[in-house]
Amino acid sequence: MSAYDLSLILPCYNEGPTFEDNVKRIILELKKTKYKWQLIFVEDKSGDNTRDVIQKIVRKGDNCKAIFHKVNEGRGKAVMDGIKAAEAPICGFIDVDCEISPSCISLFAREVQRGTDLVVGHRFYEKRLKSISRVVATRVYAILVRTLLGLPIEDTEAGCKFFNRKKILTVLPKVNDYKWFWDTEICARSCWEGLKVSDVPVLFIRRLDKKSTVNLVSDSLDYFIKLIKFSLKFRKTRFNASR
């Protein structure tokens, strides 16, 4: 039997000067929960001092551990490695920039405890003019995902997802994309494998004191191309299965 109820994964890459304070905020929220928890850092070969900060935190926390990638492998791969290393029956990840408040951790874990296999955040945006382009891109992408893949999920890309670890481990070997498209693919394959999926509304507040690692134009284009290719492959598979 596991010593932990909840394993929280923090995928990390070039987290910058706000990183340590963000982790302290996340740990504070974990301490408020009723769960016996562990924190798993997966550092994806950052170019700043993210690794050093993680090592300092892990030395102080008995229930903290870290995985360090030798090369940059992508956010999806970081989350997958965290899931595989998790020791609790409930595991999940949250983006360490805290643009989605870590206060949602208890809510998401409780949903899994009640029988949901995958809990996905559904972002609602704070109304800021600088966020409009990002909001529009997110909404358009979400509509395309539901239209092309037929998923009952409002927002596959939110940086907060919790899992029934035993169930999601059966899906991971089928996932092909290890970078940003991983979120779409893990949601799609979880639905197609018959996992019970739900989404939970969360407020998204854009952090202006931290530089995003997402390039809105190039990354959005990459997302759309991958979505089209993935949907075409999905349709072909369904057609062949029906023959």
Side-chain angles (χ1 to χ4, degrees):
M1 187 173 180
S2 173
Y4 302 108
D5 305 312
L6 169 65
S7 297
L8 184 68
I9 301 153
L10 297 182
C12 306
Y13 178 69
N14 288 346
E15 296 302 332
T18 63
F19 178 47
E20 192 166 4
D21 286 341
N22 291 340
V23 173
K24 288 178 181 178
R25 181 180 172 190
I26 290 169
I27 290 175
L28 183 62
E29 290 297 333
L30 284 168
K31 288 180 177 179
K32 292 178 184 178
T33 73
K34 64 178 183 179
Y35 301 105
K36 295 178 182 178
W37 54 269
Q38 71 171 161
L39 197 58
I40 303 174
F41 296 90
V42 187
E43 198 278 317
D44 199 26
K45 193 60 177 177
S46 299
D48 63 2
N49 71 333
T50 297
R51 181 188 178 103
D52 296 334
V53 175
I54 291 173
Q55 289 175 326
K56 183 174 74 170
I57 295 170
V58 170
R59 280 196 297 268
K60 293 180 179 178
D62 293 335
N63 54 344
C64 299
K65 66 180 180 179
I67 299 168
F68 297 102
H69 285 172
K70 294 181 180 179
V71 296
N72 181 262
E73 298 189 66
R75 203 277 293 271
K77 183 62 162 59
V79 176
M80 288 175 67
D81 287 348
I83 293 171
K84 292 172 184 177
E87 300 173 46
I90 300 172
C91 63
F93 75 92
I94 187 169
D95 285 345
V96 76
D97 56 18
C98 295
E99 289 182 328
I100 294 174
S101 172
S103 62
C104 72
I105 291 171
S106 283
L107 175 61
F108 277 59
R110 192 160 58 246
E111 282 292 306
V112 177
Q113 197 171 30
R114 289 173 176 171
T116 304
D117 300 316
L118 167 60
V119 186
V120 183
H122 175 199
R123 290 169 293 182
F124 288 89
Y125 290 83
E126 184 187 42
K127 298 188 186 314
R128 285 184 179 177
L129 187 61
K130 288 185 178 181
S131 296
I132 287 179
S133 58
R134 187 177 295 271
V135 172
V136 170
T138 300
R139 296 283 189 249
V140 171
Y141 184 79
I143 292 170
L144 286 173
V145 167
R146 293 197 299 275
T147 302
L148 296 174
L149 302 180
L151 302 185
I153 299 174
E154 292 292 330
D155 182 9
T156 58
E157 306 314 296
C160 186
K161 294 178 176 68
F162 276 57
F163 313 93
N164 175 319
R165 182 175 179 270
K166 184 178 179 180
K167 294 285 188 69
I168 204 65
L169 282 173
T170 66
V171 180
L172 294 187
K174 299 177 174 66
V175 176
N176 297 308
D177 193 284
Y178 292 166
K179 298 186 183 296
W180 291 109
F181 190 71
W182 182 88
D183 289 86
T184 302
E185 190 172 357
I186 198 68
C187 288
R189 294 195 182 278
S190 293
C191 289
W192 299 340
E193 290 294 315
L195 271 63
K196 184 178 179 182
V197 179
S198 68
D199 49 20
V200 173
V202 290
L203 178 63
F204 182 94
I205 301 177
R206 179 81 171 90
R207 291 282 297 269
L208 301 179
D209 58 342
K210 179 183 183 295
K211 184 179 179 180
S212 174
T213 56
V214 177
N215 184 298
L216 184 60
V217 177
S218 62
D219 286 338
S220 294
L221 181 60
D222 183 57
Y223 259 114
F224 289 127
I225 292 171
K226 286 183 176 179
L227 176 60
I228 297 298
K229 289 181 177 178
F230 187 67
S231 66
L232 290 173
K233 185 176 179 180
F234 165 61
R235 290 167 186 265
K236 182 179 179 180
T237 301
R238 289 186 64 184
F239 175 75
N240 290 336
S242 65
R243 293 180 66 180

